[in-house]
Amino acid sequence: MPNQMFTDVELRIMSIHVKSQGFVDKLLSESKFEIKVFSAVSDGVADHAFNMELNVMPVSEGGTISFGPAGYTIYRNRAGQIPRFLDAHIAVLEDDSDIRSTAKLMAKVRKTAAFGELTRTVVAAAANPLFAVGMNVAESLMDISIEVLKDNKDDLWLRRFFSFNYNIEGYEGVAEFESDEVKITLQLFTG
């Protein structure tokens, strides 16, 4: 049974820092570019099976994108619906593609056969609680989307998974994930 001591759950990006490259890499590459930040969160709430966010953001090499004290929310539960769990995947990619429109990119994701199958499975599971979903919805969504992004020549810099089962309140706070290219700071808030 989920902990009922809170009514709001939010997952926020607080900052993204693109690390400085080596001297040779600096000479061969541009110092300003765009990154794609993609997140997929599933929460076990029947009418809100997963949440996707994709944003293209300009950043310079060695620069930081700070979203201020409120952060950039990538997940917020619906009023009165306490998540059964929270499975979150986040990826940061260097944007090397010719697709700059988030809407066009998400349309490509939604047109894939794998996304259609995932959607049908989630709808069937929501309509019939006896139907067991033997998959992680957020992970499947992330896999589909990263394949589309890689097909567009985007370079995967960071991919992380984290999960909170039932006791979300005990995990609140700040977490940092880091790769050779980028560091992202997230905050889980309950209230």
Side-chain angles (χ1 to χ4, degrees):
M1 180 83 174
N3 186 339
Q4 299 294 317
M5 300 301 292
F6 58 91
T7 57
D8 298 315
V9 178
E10 288 187 23
L11 183 59
R12 307 167 178 162
I13 300 173
M14 302 309 291
S15 66
I16 301 170
H17 175 72
V18 175
K19 296 181 180 180
S20 295
Q21 302 172 8
F23 178 73
V24 174
D25 291 334
K26 280 184 186 179
L27 292 176
L28 299 175
S29 66
E30 297 180 43
S31 63
K32 292 184 179 180
F33 45 87
E34 292 179 329
I35 59 171
K36 287 185 176 126
V37 179
F38 183 78
S39 63
V41 181
S42 59
D43 63 7
V45 176
D47 67 340
H48 189 246
F50 56 85
N51 184 58
M52 292 189 318
E53 291 284 330
L54 174 68
N55 289 290
V56 179
M57 302 173 189
V59 66
S60 58
E61 186 262 331
T64 298
I65 302 169
S66 178
F67 296 100
Y72 175 76
T73 301
I74 58 173
Y75 170 84
R76 177 181 293 128
N77 69 311
R78 291 186 181 177
Q81 295 182 331
I82 305 301
R84 291 184 8 227
F85 59 84
L86 202 62
D87 286 340
H89 291 257
I90 192 155
V92 178
L93 299 98
E94 181 183 17
D95 185 9
D96 290 333
S97 74
D98 58 351
I99 296 180
R100 297 290 185 245
S101 165
T102 302
K104 286 181 185 176
L105 187 56
M106 292 313 293
K108 280 184 88 170
V109 169
R110 288 184 181 102
K111 286 180 183 176
T112 65
F115 184 82
E117 182 62 32
L118 176 64
T119 303
R120 286 187 291 280
T121 302
V122 169
V123 168
N128 182 358
L130 298 176
F131 181 77
V133 179
M135 62 189 317
N136 178 331
V137 175
E139 180 179 18
S140 299
L141 186 57
M142 182 63 74
D143 290 342
I144 294 164
S145 301
I146 285 179
E147 283 306 311
V148 170
L149 294 169
K150 284 182 177 178
D151 288 347
N152 286 313
K153 308 294 186 238
D154 294 333
D155 300 320
L156 181 62
W157 278 0
L158 174 108
R159 179 178 179 175
R160 291 296 183 267
F161 163 75
F162 43 100
S163 180
F164 308 99
N165 291 318
Y166 297 107
N167 191 15
I168 294 170
E169 191 171 32
Y171 292 103
E172 64 187 3
V174 174
E176 292 183 338
F177 299 107
E178 192 169 356
S179 70
D180 291 341
E181 296 84 10
V182 68
K183 179 168 95 173
I184 188 165
T185 304
L186 302 169
Q187 178 186 38
L188 179 66
F189 166 82
T190 60

